[in-house]
Amino acid sequence: MSEAPPATAEGPDSGQGAAGGAVPVVHASAGHHRTGNLTKLAFGAIGVVFGDIGTSPIYAFRETFVGPHPLAIDELHVLGVVSLIFWSMTLVVAVQYVGILMRADNKGQGGSLALVALISGHISKSRYGGLVVLLGVFATSLFYGDSMITPAVSVLSAVEGLTVVESRLQPLVLPIALVLLVGLFVLQQRGTAKVGAIFAPVMVLYFVVLAVLGIYHLVQMPQVLVALNPWYAVQFFLTDKILGFLALGSVVLAVTGAEALYSDMGHFGRGPMRVSWFSFVMPCLLINYFGQAAMILGLDDAAAAQAMESPFFNLAPDSLRLPLVILATCATFIASQAVISGAFSITHQAMQLGFIPRISTRHTSEHEVGQIYIPFVNWALMTGVIVLVLVFQNSSNLASAYGIAVTGAMLIDTCLMTVLLVVMWRWKLWLAIPIIVTFFIVDGAYFAANATKVADGGWFPLLIGGIAFTLLTTWNKGRRLMRQRMTESALPLNVFAKSAHGSAARVPGTAVFMASSNAGVPSALLHNIKHNKVLHERVVVLTADVQDVPYVEPGERSSVVDLGQGFYRMTLRYGFMEETDIPLALCSTNLCGAPFEMMKTSFFLSRQTLVPSEKPGMALWREKLFAWMMRNAASAMEFFRLPTNRVVELGSQLEI
């Protein structure tokens, strides 16, 4: 075993009762969706939610032809590719995510973790319960790789449009992209509330321009609309079997951002997002893709080959290409902002659910709970993005690294959807099986095609995902082992209250001892009476229990058990989207005999020191990793927003 790491302020007795291992059952509810005018919410969703998938036309169609596995630029391949894009967007985005998965909301929230929380309780007692949790955690881990690649490939592809305007600007592309990306991350600490006000108008203008440019070329060659017939995609595969399969690795770039639609459902609700998608965003995107195909087929071979280097920007006439580059850059900036904010939200969810140690989090808005900024995540993402841009140099190289994370998350969502349809919703098998098989074939084919690009850059998101998965599962298992060790020797609180009442002096005030579970006496309380030999007039053993639901109703926030002799056991319940503000919750309750006064209340936290043990636990390297994460975690005082001058920390040793 390793040497005992230094004591830390993090540990089970610090009071966070987050989930460990399996996640309890939770029932779907339409509650907590944001309310408001449908049109207004649908308009706002365009600016926040659809940026990632909305910027795909800049590079998706191009990469299919000039990427790692080039295709001949002829009618067969152009119509086959645009047909694949249409049916991919219809099946994956419109049917799987918007049509089916958006029905699986966890009190209004979506995403892999919320979906896991929704279904795992139904199978937690089976041998597959743990596997479902691990799948959700791995999908979350892949998102971090996606959060690095999306800003890099989006902004770089937009800035590369300058070379279409003037080829001599090529040396400036990389510096301009790096300046924009660094500026993007520097601005995060200011919050997105003010900038968000202009997101929707800019993105609406961007989507309108996409449609106008597409219509301009479709009018000149409307016959490309025959590609709406899936036979053209089938014919492409029948003619070029290997190239057709490999082309899927680039075609999937057209649906990147589909998983983000589900993850961001809590911001606007499924209704407004469906209205935005079907009535505006999807038509604009498809018109632009078909417009790119029409433009290419309307050119001779030499001109088509040249235009294919950047078909998106070549849609515009020469005089309008620079404004299009500026507009596209703004759109990619917004898309990147949304992905980064999503990384903050995912990290907050994972932190509350017990998969990530406490990390310093700042709230950037007094009115919007979801407006958060996590410095560590922000600077880690910025570092990764800069490395990506410097290593891969251009958007084509980055596109090779892009698809594996997205398709991996999509395939995992299909696995979770299978459990959802069969176990939770209990669809009839004759209806569920064809749907499940269809999406396993589609998502599996996309993932397999992108797996061929691992050597060309796909290794990067897999590396980031593997590191994140290791960190998340190590922290979760380490916390679970620590709670088990402490429970093994725990003294019942009611027994302690009776014995301690007569053996220690009582002093005025209230003492709140943070505990990770509702069983036993927290070590801070034992050490306090052992060393100080005093007890406060009111002793509250408090557990902050983070539920696997996004929000907890105010009436269910707190519960108290009066143990007599001035001892109380209190539980405060929070959703994984909520802020654990302990003083605010205490001042809002009167269940412990009298109101809480912060200037007369002291908070006691435990500092656990890990020591070597022969007990079976984790591998030695994981114990060292867990100890390192504990040392670098934010303090419970900051996480629970405890008053800094009212906190006492007491140390103890613990074997895992």
Side-chain angles (χ1 to χ4, degrees):
M1 297 293 290
S2 61
E3 295 182 1
T8 69
E10 176 73 9
D13 269 359
S14 298
Q16 185 184 11
V23 187
V25 63
V26 61
H27 300 286
S29 168
H32 296 286
H33 275 315
R34 295 195 177 188
T35 57
N37 182 270
L38 178 63
T39 304
K40 183 179 179 180
L41 288 173
F43 181 78
I46 295 171
V48 176
V49 176
F50 297 102
D52 191 359
I53 195 169
T55 53
S56 294
I58 299 176
Y59 50 83
F61 186 76
R62 176 197 71 195
E63 285 306 308
T64 310
F65 286 89
V66 300
H69 309 286
L71 297 176
I73 305 175
D74 55 26
E75 182 174 315
L76 170 70
H77 293 94
V78 170
L79 293 181
V81 166
V82 78
S83 183
L84 279 173
I85 290 175
F86 170 76
W87 286 103
S88 297
M89 196 173 293
T90 300
L91 290 174
V92 175
V93 186
V95 178
Q96 183 177 9
Y97 281 94
V98 180
I100 297 177
L101 285 176
M102 275 192 181
R103 294 182 57 205
D105 69 289
N106 190 335
K107 290 194 173 181
Q109 298 297 317
S112 297
L113 283 180
L115 182 58
V116 167
L118 184 65
I119 67 177
S120 63
H122 291 265
I123 61 172
S124 59
K125 295 181 180 179
S126 74
R127 57 181 176 176
Y128 302 109
L131 178 60
V132 167
V133 175
L134 289 178
L135 284 174
V137 173
F138 190 62
T140 301
S141 302
L142 289 174
F143 182 80
Y144 288 105
D146 188 22
S147 299
M148 294 180 184
I149 297 177
T150 295
V153 70
S154 298
V155 173
L156 194 54
S157 64
V159 177
E160 285 172 348
L162 289 172
T163 62
V164 180
V165 178
E166 175 55 67
S167 60
R168 290 176 295 180
L169 295 176
Q170 176 64 46
L172 297 179
V173 169
L174 219 58
I176 292 174
L178 287 172
V179 169
L180 289 173
L181 288 167
V182 170
L184 173 66
F185 286 98
V186 170
L187 288 174
Q188 294 304 310
Q189 55 192 319
R190 297 180 177 270
T192 59
K194 294 181 180 179
V195 183
I198 64 170
F199 279 7
V202 172
M203 290 306 297
V204 167
L205 174 62
Y206 170 76
F207 281 114
V208 169
V209 169
L210 290 189
V212 170
L213 291 174
I215 290 172
Y216 174 77
H217 290 279
L218 277 174
V219 169
Q220 300 178 49
M221 183 166 284
Q223 53 265 42
V224 298
L225 292 175
V226 298
L228 294 171
N229 186 340
W231 167 248
Y232 286 88
V234 174
Q235 188 180 31
F236 173 27
F237 280 110
L238 293 177
T239 305
D240 281 328
K241 299 179 179 61
I242 301 299
L243 281 178
F245 168 73
L246 295 174
L248 291 176
S250 297
V251 169
V252 76
L253 296 175
V255 298
T256 55
E259 207 278 340
L261 304 186
Y262 180 44
S263 300
D264 290 336
M265 183 171 59
H267 293 291
F268 299 95
R270 72 166 75 99
M273 288 180 63
R274 284 174 171 171
V275 169
S276 298
W277 172 252
F278 286 111
S279 66
F280 184 69
V281 176
M282 184 178 179
C284 290
L285 290 175
L286 290 175
I287 289 172
N288 189 266
Y289 282 118
F290 276 90
Q292 292 186 45
M295 178 196 67
I296 294 298
L297 290 180
L299 300 173
D300 59 51
D301 292 346
Q306 184 177 1
M308 189 59 81
E309 293 297 322
S310 187
F312 176 80
F313 292 108
N314 279 299
L315 286 174
D318 293 345
S319 59
L320 296 179
R321 283 177 187 166
L322 183 57
L324 179 59
V325 170
I326 296 173
L327 179 61
T329 302
C330 292
T332 57
F333 200 86
I334 292 171
S336 302
Q337 168 66 58
V339 172
I340 296 168
S341 299
F344 294 157
S345 298
I346 288 292
T347 301
H348 183 69
Q349 285 188 31
M351 197 189 320
Q352 295 288 62
L353 288 172
F355 288 101
I356 291 179
R358 299 181 185 112
I359 304 175
S360 176
T361 303
R362 302 177 193 172
H363 292 261
T364 59
S365 173
E366 297 179 358
H367 309 290
E368 298 292 339
V369 176
Q371 297 274 343
I372 60 174
Y373 167 67
I374 304 179
F376 174 79
V377 174
N378 186 66
W379 303 126
L381 290 179
M382 187 187 78
T383 302
V385 168
I386 292 175
V387 170
L388 278 170
V389 172
L390 293 176
V391 171
F392 288 90
Q393 296 287 309
N394 60 63
S395 60
S396 289
N397 293 337
L398 276 168
S400 297
Y402 199 5
I404 193 74
V406 175
T407 55
M410 286 165 48
L411 188 58
I412 291 173
D413 284 343
T414 300
C415 296
L416 298 177
M417 186 183 72
T418 301
V419 181
L420 183 74
L421 297 183
V422 176
V423 179
M424 272 198 63
W425 293 347
R426 300 185 181 280
W427 282 22
K428 295 184 183 300
L429 292 181
W430 63 265
L431 177 61
I433 289 178
I435 293 175
I436 292 168
V437 170
T438 298
F439 286 116
F440 265 113
I441 292 174
V442 173
D443 295 336
Y446 281 136
F447 181 77
N450 276 277
T452 64
K453 300 192 294 183
V454 170
D456 296 321
W459 56 268
F460 182 84
L462 291 178
L463 175 64
I464 298 299
I467 292 173
F469 182 77
T470 301
L471 292 174
L472 267 62
T473 53
T474 297
W475 180 255
N476 184 258
K477 185 173 182 179
R479 281 180 52 83
R480 189 165 67 251
L481 288 172
M482 291 181 72
R483 285 196 297 270
Q484 290 173 356
R485 299 293 182 260
M486 298 185 71
T487 302
E488 290 171 0
S489 58
L491 177 68
L493 183 58
N494 58 342
V495 175
F496 174 84
K498 294 177 182 178
S499 62
H501 173 65
S503 60
R506 306 300 287 259
V507 296
T510 299
V512 177
F513 292 87
M514 304 297 292
S516 64
S517 70
N518 290 321
V521 181
S523 60
L525 178 52
L526 292 173
H527 285 279
N528 180 60
I529 195 171
K530 176 181 178 182
H531 296 289
N532 299 325
K533 298 179 174 58
V534 295
L535 287 172
H536 288 70
E537 289 178 336
R538 180 169 57 172
V539 176
V540 179
V541 177
L542 174 61
T543 298
D545 185 11
V546 179
Q547 308 277 296
D548 63 325
V549 294
Y551 305 97
V552 171
E553 300 292 343
E556 301 175 359
R557 175 76 66 204
S558 59
S559 61
V560 174
V561 177
D562 187 346
L563 302 172
Q565 312 299 332
F567 281 81
Y568 300 87
R569 182 177 285 284
M570 172 182 281
T571 301
L572 294 177
R573 300 175 183 84
Y574 294 91
F576 58 75
M577 295 296 291
E578 295 182 290
E579 181 182 351
T580 48
D581 190 331
I582 298 297
L584 178 63
L586 291 177
C587 291
S588 303
T589 185
N590 193 24
L591 299 176
C592 294
F596 284 87
E597 299 180 42
M598 287 300 104
M599 294 307 297
K600 296 182 180 180
T601 301
S602 298
F603 295 88
F604 290 81
L605 307 177
S606 295
R607 291 170 61 96
Q608 271 77 34
T609 301
L610 299 183
V611 296
S613 171
E614 297 298 329
K615 297 180 179 180
M618 294 189 293
L620 180 60
W621 67 270
R622 293 188 73 187
E623 289 188 5
K624 291 181 178 180
L625 177 60
F626 179 64
W628 174 81
M629 296 173 75
M630 287 185 65
R631 289 195 300 271
N632 291 277
S635 69
M637 178 178 66
E638 180 181 359
F639 184 79
F640 292 121
R641 308 197 71 177
L642 304 179
T644 55
N645 60 342
R646 308 298 304 174
V647 174
V648 178
E649 292 184 331
L650 296 172
S652 63
Q653 291 186 339
L654 187 68
E655 296 180 349
I656 63 170

